[in-house]
Amino acid sequence: MSKQTKMGILGLLLVLPSFLVLFVIVVLPIALSFKESLTNASGGYDLSNYIYLFTNKLMRSNIIFTLEVTIISVLLILAISYALAVYMRFNNGAVVQWIRRLYMIPMFIPGVIATYGLIQLLGNHGWAARILYQFGIESFPRIIFDMKGIIIANLWFNIPFTTMLLGSALSAVPNSVIESAKDVGAGTIQIFFKFILPLTYKTLLVGATFAFMGVIGSFTAPFLLGPNAPQMLGVSMEQVFGVFQQKQLAAALAFFTFLLCSIMGFFYIREMIKDEGVKA
Amino acid sequence: MFRKKSVLSLLSVFAITSTILAGCGSSSKDSSSTDAGSASANNTATSAAVKPVEFSFYFSGSQNVKDLWDTLIPMFEKQNPDIKVKPVFIPSGTGAQSTYDRILAAKQAGKGSGDIDLYEDGLSTITKGQKDDLWDTLSSGSIPNLSNVDQQTMTDVSNLAVPYRSSAVILAYNSEKVTEVPNTLDELYDWIRKHPGKFAYNDPSTGGSGNSFVMTALYKDLPEEAIHNSDPSIESQWDKGFALLKDLGKYVYGEGIYPKKNQGTLDLLANGEVDMIPAWSDMVLEQVANGQLPASTKIKQLTPGFNGGPTYLMVPKLSEKKDAVYKFLDFVLSPEAQTVVVNKMHGFPGIQLSNMPQEVQDSFKGASEGFRSFNIGDLDKDMSMRWQSEVAAQ
């Protein structure tokens, strides 16, 4: 055996454990639930569950609702996190120090507790409404049991991590680049769009992917804060599986959610590969 | 050179981990063998003494059920030093079904009762076990206090189980705000329409109280025996009920908000957002006692009533420690233990109220009677499904 094949075998052996773990806990369940989702009421295989998913009024409205919540949440998360990270990167002073100390806190508060906190704060007779009432504002918009509540909860859960991610990317932007750009007369807006944004674009994509996956698969906040109908896919899946006990339909829902996530993953990976290609 | 080195270091890592793993394996073997040794030592020690009979009691539920048995079992063991109860608590939703399956599997394998000597569950499990001939027939000959239990309840379960506590869904309302308390379902629906936004019931798939409200509406105009019917053919008669619920949707809290879980509506009642809700009697009474709900909260059962019923204790037929279990059941049905049930859990006593102290009888006035035991089996699933698409998503 040549040395090269020996090293090749060793390499395969080293990859094997992680591949096996991936196979058993990711690939196999997906394959099994895909098979389950194709099973119809009489035991045969067809697309009836997926047809139901897209023709049933209730299910269709759940899917549209989930996509709406996810897209709005992801855009808001990215906008706020990016603004925060840029502010922390290029400013100094007491305010920045305080933001730096505080912005991670939501990560350390368990989801259920944070969700109940939001209910207490933003509910119909919650603190926010009571404080506004003191200033003579009597009508308070409905936030809890509405799409707004879910979006606010998503912001709370996702902003810290995304800000952290973008913060580290921004700190990798060398000061010398910005200074030399300034020296040749570039304005603030030009510097931002010509240098900072392109240099952090990849991390922005990573942040978007993480936020998307987190929001689309969320359960606690939509379950406790969301409206009874339409529901987000996670809540609907639990109901279909646990209450209606339609395993096949729940599997179809799960597989559909997986597809949505893998579309997002596809764009992410394609972007990464493109980048590698440029480097090489 | 470099490669050789990395291979070497890899090998040494493997060697180290494998020795550590091997060490773990042998040490755990050691500890288990000492365990066995001490256990056998224990056995001989106890057999030398009085040798108390120990039986296993499987029960499931929320924390309040566990607290109840944590109080009752020491009381019993103090009175009967020759019997030990080994409680096995299965938190609700985690494995009640598997306990039943264990009893059944042990019987089919000819292995007695699978070391389960007493089991707590609801009506559907008794009916299921009756078909499989799992439960022991109980009589007041071996359990004297059984004569205090309502004989009709015992006949309903063919004397296969002991109802030791019960609760029912009732109407809970804020007596400071509600002046005209409804007595019948129609009066309740009228009240809801006249007071928009002041009534809430929870999503029926997430809790029994909202479930009962929906079920009661569906069966309002159906014959009385329909509530024990689990044949799908009756579903076509639900239309009128769903139309009613759909209409009520405009008048309930937030023009169609149905909170999640039994506690969801109780929270709304507690902070004054609504004035009336359907709720479980034991939850309301307990939370009033703890101050979580205002003292002005009152409860009332309608005629015809909401869903309710006892929780039962069953003895597997093949248990070998029946005598000890009978003694325990006799204790559970004694007025002394039943008072604990009332005070600790705010459940209705399993024995007839007339056997209880006067103040207990007074506290349950208007709540412990008039409920109906719905038993519609799997139709419940279809009900939640139709509710979700016709009432929630209108």
Side-chain angles (χ1 to χ4, degrees):
Chain A
M1 223 191 287
S2 77
K3 200 168 179 189
Q4 203 148 18
T5 42
K6 261 189 211 163
M7 285 315 290
I9 290 171
L10 183 69
L12 279 180
L13 278 178
L14 288 179
V15 174
L16 200 64
S18 60
F19 175 75
L20 276 179
V21 169
L22 201 70
F23 185 76
V24 172
I25 68 175
V26 179
V27 180
L28 212 59
I30 290 172
L32 285 177
S33 60
F34 183 59
K35 181 174 165 254
E36 177 91 51
S37 71
L38 291 176
T39 316
N40 61 19
S42 52
Y45 295 99
D46 60 16
L47 285 171
S48 58
N49 288 311
Y50 291 94
I51 293 168
Y52 180 82
L53 212 58
F54 297 111
T55 51
N56 181 274
K57 210 177 108 219
L58 192 69
M59 285 296 161
R60 214 171 42 203
S61 66
N62 287 349
I63 292 171
I64 294 168
F65 181 74
T66 308
L67 289 175
E68 269 174 1
V69 169
T70 310
I71 291 167
I72 297 175
S73 300
V74 170
L75 291 179
L76 284 175
I77 290 165
L78 288 181
I80 297 174
S81 303
Y82 203 73
L84 259 179
V86 168
Y87 182 75
M88 286 197 291
R89 168 71 176 82
F90 296 107
N91 288 282
N92 259 317
V95 182
V96 171
Q97 285 304 317
W98 275 107
I99 295 178
R100 206 162 273 163
R101 274 178 214 151
L102 293 177
Y103 85 95
M104 301 277 279
I105 287 180
M107 289 177 94
F108 300 104
I109 296 175
V112 184
I113 292 172
T115 309
Y116 273 108
L118 281 175
I119 294 178
Q120 293 292 321
L121 177 70
L122 301 171
N124 211 349
H125 288 181
W127 300 339
R130 269 179 269 165
I131 291 168
L132 287 177
Y133 187 78
Q134 296 301 315
F135 295 104
I137 301 164
E138 287 185 28
S139 71
F140 190 73
R142 179 187 296 156
I143 296 177
I144 301 303
F145 303 126
D146 192 85
M147 190 204 257
K148 293 192 260 328
I150 307 180
I151 292 174
I152 291 175
N154 284 332
L155 294 182
W156 168 270
F157 291 127
N158 287 289
I159 283 176
F161 183 69
T162 315
T163 309
M164 202 169 75
L165 215 61
L166 292 170
S168 68
L170 280 167
S171 61
V173 176
N175 272 336
S176 56
V177 171
I178 295 160
E179 277 156 18
S180 51
K182 265 185 196 157
D183 284 347
V184 295
T188 318
I189 295 172
Q190 254 184 324
I191 293 180
F192 180 75
F193 282 105
K194 291 259 156 84
F195 293 101
I196 299 174
L197 199 58
L199 281 170
T200 52
Y201 162 73
K202 219 172 103 178
T203 316
L204 206 60
L205 204 70
V206 178
T209 314
F210 277 120
F212 182 89
M213 309 265 183
V215 171
I216 207 165
S218 58
F219 177 76
T220 315
F223 181 72
L224 292 169
L225 296 173
N228 296 89
Q231 300 163 309
M232 279 194 65
L233 288 180
V235 181
S236 175
M237 220 183 294
E238 193 274 338
Q239 195 182 41
V240 169
F241 184 81
V243 183
F244 308 157
Q245 296 179 7
Q246 295 172 314
K247 258 169 75 185
Q248 293 80 13
L249 186 60
L253 260 176
F255 193 77
F256 177 66
T257 315
F258 166 74
L259 272 187
L260 287 178
C261 286
S262 42
I263 292 172
M264 193 68 194
F266 169 74
F267 282 115
Y268 167 72
I269 291 171
R270 201 185 61 172
E271 235 10 79
M272 295 291 139
I273 290 172
K274 221 177 10 181
D275 215 58
E276 296 277 299
V278 170
K279 256 186 214 160
Chain B
M1 187 58 214
F2 181 74
R3 274 187 185 163
K4 222 178 224 170
K5 210 176 182 180
S6 65
V7 171
L8 259 178
S9 62
L10 253 175
L11 279 177
S12 55
V13 166
F14 275 136
I16 291 167
T17 40
S18 55
T19 35
I20 291 171
L21 285 176
C24 284
S26 61
S27 68
S28 66
K29 230 182 261 165
D30 284 346
S31 67
S32 66
S33 64
T34 47
D35 270 0
S38 64
S40 60
N42 267 346
N43 276 346
T44 47
T46 44
S47 59
V50 217
K51 199 183 179 187
V53 185
E54 187 182 63
F55 71 86
S56 323
F57 169 32
Y58 281 63
F59 62 98
S60 91
S62 303
Q63 188 61 32
N64 55 350
V65 180
K66 183 172 185 327
D67 291 344
L68 174 74
W69 290 115
D70 283 348
T71 317
L72 284 179
I73 289 171
M75 279 168 70
F76 171 73
E77 286 177 344
K78 213 167 164 190
Q79 290 173 17
N80 300 275
D82 54 332
I83 302 176
K84 279 206 111 42
V85 183
K86 187 176 142 211
V88 180
F89 174 56
I90 300 148
S92 61
T94 52
Q97 173 66 32
S98 65
T99 313
Y100 178 83
D101 291 342
R102 263 181 71 178
I103 301 175
L104 185 61
K107 181 191 152 91
Q108 283 165 350
K111 294 205 171 135
S113 63
D115 267 347
I116 298 165
D117 303 300
L118 185 61
Y119 179 50
E120 175 193 310
D121 211 333
L123 188 61
S124 59
T125 312
I126 303 174
T127 330
K128 234 186 331 181
Q130 192 171 12
K131 282 182 209 138
D132 296 324
D133 193 28
L134 285 188
W135 312 127
D136 187 32
T137 309
L138 308 166
S139 73
S140 50
S142 45
I143 308 170
N145 278 330
L146 210 55
S147 54
N148 293 338
V149 176
D150 185 2
Q151 283 315 305
Q152 184 58 44
T153 319
M154 290 307 290
T155 317
D156 284 348
V157 295
S158 320
N159 291 313
L160 294 174
V162 174
Y164 82 97
R165 69 179 163 94
S166 57
S167 60
V169 175
I170 40 81
L171 212 56
Y173 62 95
N174 179 346
S175 59
E176 280 171 7
K177 299 267 181 66
V178 179
T179 43
E180 26 175 325
V181 188
N183 296 306
T184 63
L185 283 170
D186 284 322
E187 284 179 36
L188 172 64
Y189 301 144
D190 269 349
W191 190 94
I192 297 171
R193 288 196 182 95
K194 277 188 206 147
H195 301 85
K198 288 296 172 192
F199 180 88
Y201 68 93
N202 64 299
D203 181 339
S205 64
T206 63
S209 57
N211 191 291
S212 178
F213 181 83
V214 171
M215 212 184 280
T216 315
L218 298 188
Y219 285 87
K220 187 169 86 82
D221 293 324
L222 299 189
E224 188 58 28
E225 36 327 326
I227 65 170
H228 301 297
N229 183 352
S230 52
D231 185 56
S233 63
I234 202 158
E235 289 182 18
S236 59
Q237 300 178 46
W238 286 354
D239 297 347
K240 212 177 146 195
F242 275 116
L244 171 76
L245 289 168
K246 211 167 158 177
D247 176 57
L248 285 178
K250 295 188 286 249
Y251 302 100
V252 300
Y253 173 68
E255 292 173 28
I257 289 177
Y258 308 93
K260 304 284 160 73
K261 302 264 183 201
N262 293 321
Q263 188 60 37
T265 39
L266 283 165
D267 288 343
L268 290 180
L269 184 68
N271 63 22
E273 289 195 50
V274 298
D275 294 331
M276 197 185 285
I277 58 166
W280 283 105
S281 58
D282 53 336
M283 291 178 85
V284 175
L285 293 169
E286 187 176 359
Q287 294 183 21
V288 170
N290 293 344
Q292 287 157 286
L293 279 171
S296 58
T297 309
K298 292 247 166 69
I299 59 176
K300 180 175 175 97
Q301 186 57 276
L302 299 176
T303 22
F306 289 117
N307 190 17
T311 303
Y312 297 90
L313 293 170
M314 288 139 300
V315 185
K317 204 169 198 169
L318 300 171
S319 163
E320 287 154 6
K321 294 157 185 165
K322 278 186 201 149
D323 288 337
V325 177
Y326 289 156
K327 261 193 194 163
F328 182 66
L329 289 179
D330 193 48
F331 165 77
V332 170
L333 291 176
S334 67
E336 180 195 0
Q338 288 292 314
T339 309
V340 177
V341 169
V342 171
N343 292 338
K344 193 124 191 134
M345 277 201 73
H346 300 277
F348 312 146
I351 58 178
Q352 282 179 305
L353 268 179
S354 53
N355 299 310
M356 298 297 288
Q358 187 59 43
E359 73 253 31
V360 173
Q361 293 190 31
D362 289 346
S363 70
F364 286 119
K365 209 174 258 171
S368 65
E369 58 227 16
F371 61 78
R372 296 180 290 171
S373 294
F374 284 77
N375 192 6
I376 64 168
D378 278 350
L379 297 190
D380 195 52
K381 275 192 301 203
D382 297 338
M383 187 186 89
S384 298
M385 211 148 74
R386 271 188 73 177
W387 183 88
Q388 179 66 30
S389 61
E390 290 179 30
V391 182
Q394 53 178 301

